[in-house]
Amino acid sequence: KIAQHVQVAPGRPPVPYGVSADGRSAMFNPDSGFDLDRCAEFVLEIVRIYEMSGDRVFASDLYPQCVEVVDYLAKRDLDGDLLLEGRTESFTNPPGTGVGACSSLTYIGDTAANTWKDFGASMFYYEALQKLAVLESVLGMKDASARRIRHAAQVREAIQRILWDGKTGGFLAWVEKNGTPHDDWITGNNLHAVACGLADREQSRQILKTLESHRQEIEEVVPCRVRMGVYANGLCSNRPDYYWNGGIWPLVSAPDMRARGLIGDATGALRVANLLATRPKVTETGFFEAYDGKTGAPNDCEGLLMNNGGFLWGFFEGVLGIAIRGNEIHLRASVPKQILPAKARIHYRGADFELRWLIGPSPAASLDGKGIALGKDGYYELKLPPELQQSYRVEMVQSTS
């Protein structure tokens, strides 16, 4: 429904922000306005669907639209520094302030006045380039994949050089057109940078150190506060500690748990999951859209699917260590000792996988009784074309000593 409307046209971005239920009509934001990162997220969604389904026809059919999207994003580098540039003014006065100035919504939101060089937009652009290279490799386009990887590496270097802020232990939130930097520490953006490999090892260490040093503020009421502190006057239309201005979005739990798991802090990821499972008010349809940063009171929107999905993604990848990479399932060799023995089930490429983690004298793993070798990165790697509607049993043994 979305893909049939993805095309570059004058005055609008290539990806709509909404599509009608029948798929026949779509709504677009103004060009260079909202949702540069969500244009990139269209590409990430296509690749993710392929990774989980293995549907090469789907991937091949949607590949041209993915290329069209990243080509559009490349043209948003208006000054040649490889970073995306957003709006020079907002929909409100004075220009550059109030609602509608931002080019990235996922972790900052549409109530903040971030303008021009937005870290979130460039980060998702980098990840889209990386993932599109994976898709090109799968489709046999080796040369195109190699060029895409080189391009992504250049974008990553530019982001690190221009937007990294060693003083705060994180990336700048945005930079205005006149060069004014904003060092607001955005939780989701920084942790997603760790999870997607944009942050290098030392930057990842500093980001997690900053998070831990502010744990009381980030987790005191409900974990996954969108930022540390609140915006300066005039930089956000929300009141302090509400919504995107220091409020709490369970969506942030996805990069939070994924980042912790990636650096080996699965116990920290479990703590976040446990807090979210016990502290905030929820309904039968799941988490509310947002919670007040001071009181933990929910807003009026309940059962938000992206929050529920973010929590599940963070738990499966961050706590349980189950990751899908291209044509492989990666299984971390260990889970937090507090949950042993444990079990989980995933549906992957038309088959069911039952996973069990057991306690034993020495580490080992098996698929239907056959041993699995441990990779250099501490993950067991499964690469198989599963048979449809079949069940597979994976067992992983870890020592508690």
Side-chain angles (χ1 to χ4, degrees):
K1 289 183 177 181
I2 296 175
Q4 63 183 318
H5 298 286
V6 173
Q7 54 184 331
V8 175
R12 73 179 198 195
V15 178
Y17 71 83
V19 175
S20 62
D22 61 10
R24 295 181 179 179
S25 62
M27 295 72 74
F28 291 84
N29 282 310
D31 188 36
S32 77
F34 295 138
D35 285 10
L36 290 184
D37 54 354
R38 289 183 182 172
C39 287
E41 287 165 2
F42 170 81
V43 179
L44 300 181
E45 181 78 0
I46 298 305
V47 178
R48 186 69 174 175
I49 290 172
Y50 167 75
E51 288 179 328
M52 293 301 297
S53 70
D55 190 337
R56 289 177 60 89
V57 175
F58 169 84
S60 180
D61 285 349
L62 274 294
Y63 172 72
Q65 281 90 341
C66 291
V67 173
E68 198 161 9
V69 170
V70 296
D71 285 349
Y72 164 82
L73 290 174
K75 293 177 182 178
R76 292 306 309 168
D77 172 23
L78 304 178
D79 58 9
D81 64 359
L82 296 177
L83 303 187
L84 305 188
E85 276 77 53
R87 296 177 60 84
T88 58
E89 60 182 25
S90 68
F91 301 134
T92 58
N93 290 314
T97 62
V99 177
C102 52
S103 56
S104 172
L105 299 183
T106 306
Y107 298 121
I108 285 184
D110 54 5
T111 62
N114 48 326
T115 60
W116 202 235
K117 297 184 194 299
D118 179 279
F119 170 69
S122 290
M123 174 182 66
F124 280 109
Y125 174 47
Y126 162 78
E127 190 175 17
L129 292 172
Q130 286 278 81
K131 292 294 187 179
L132 189 54
V134 171
L135 198 63
E136 287 167 332
S137 178
V138 165
L139 296 175
M141 305 174 184
K142 304 299 182 184
D143 292 342
S145 178
R147 289 193 297 271
R148 198 79 63 185
I149 290 173
R150 289 194 295 271
H151 185 191
Q154 293 171 340
V155 172
R156 179 176 185 258
E157 188 279 330
I159 293 173
Q160 291 178 332
R161 174 170 44 84
I162 297 172
L163 296 177
W164 174 252
D165 182 24
K167 294 181 180 179
T168 63
F171 288 92
L172 297 173
W174 74 91
V175 178
E176 295 180 16
K177 192 173 184 179
N178 64 9
T180 301
H182 289 261
D183 61 0
D184 302 73
W185 206 90
I186 308 301
T187 312
N189 274 345
N190 280 299
L191 292 170
H192 197 114
V194 177
C196 75
L198 171 59
D200 62 29
R201 180 175 298 182
E202 175 57 24
Q203 290 167 339
S204 297
R205 186 194 67 80
Q206 290 191 47
I207 288 170
L208 270 295
K209 181 180 179 181
T210 300
L211 183 69
E212 285 301 300
S213 66
H214 291 81
R215 186 194 295 182
Q216 185 171 357
E217 177 185 2
I218 297 293
E219 297 181 359
E220 182 178 10
V221 180
V222 176
C224 302
R225 185 182 174 102
V226 296
R227 53 160 296 140
M228 290 188 296
V230 298
Y231 285 107
N233 290 337
L235 294 182
C236 186
S237 61
N238 297 137
R239 62 172 172 79
D241 300 299
Y242 177 72
Y243 214 64
W244 291 113
N245 192 10
I248 296 159
W249 281 66
L251 172 68
V252 175
S253 66
D256 192 331
M257 287 186 273
R258 291 177 64 216
R260 292 176 191 271
L262 189 67
I263 68 164
D265 184 21
T267 299
L270 177 62
R271 184 184 70 247
V272 172
N274 183 60
L275 290 171
L276 277 168
T278 57
R279 290 201 179 182
K281 180 180 179 180
V282 297
T283 70
E284 290 182 352
T285 50
F287 294 107
F288 284 78
E289 181 179 19
Y291 297 82
D292 189 275
K294 284 289 187 182
T295 66
N299 73 340
D300 296 328
C301 181
E302 62 184 58
L304 202 66
L305 295 182
M306 70 178 186
N307 282 351
N308 298 339
F311 175 79
L312 291 172
W313 188 2
F315 184 82
F316 270 78
E317 189 168 322
V319 177
L320 299 180
I322 303 171
I324 311 299
R325 300 286 185 265
N327 286 322
E328 297 178 347
I329 303 176
H330 289 197
L331 303 169
R332 197 176 58 227
S334 63
V335 296
K337 297 177 181 178
Q338 301 95 307
I339 66 173
L340 288 172
K343 62 181 179 180
R345 185 186 294 264
I346 62 171
H347 188 70
Y348 171 74
R349 299 194 172 186
D352 290 318
F353 284 75
E354 184 177 303
L355 302 104
R356 293 181 179 271
W357 292 264
L358 307 171
I359 302 170
S362 58
S366 63
L367 172 65
D368 289 341
K370 297 180 180 180
I372 306 172
L374 181 64
K376 295 180 180 179
D377 60 353
Y379 282 74
Y380 298 106
E381 299 174 3
L382 289 177
K383 186 175 183 179
L384 76 163
E387 295 184 22
L388 296 178
Q389 298 180 344
Q390 293 298 307
S391 296
Y392 297 85
R393 184 183 179 94
V394 179
E395 289 192 348
M396 286 166 284
V397 179
Q398 67 184 76
S399 172
T400 58
S401 59

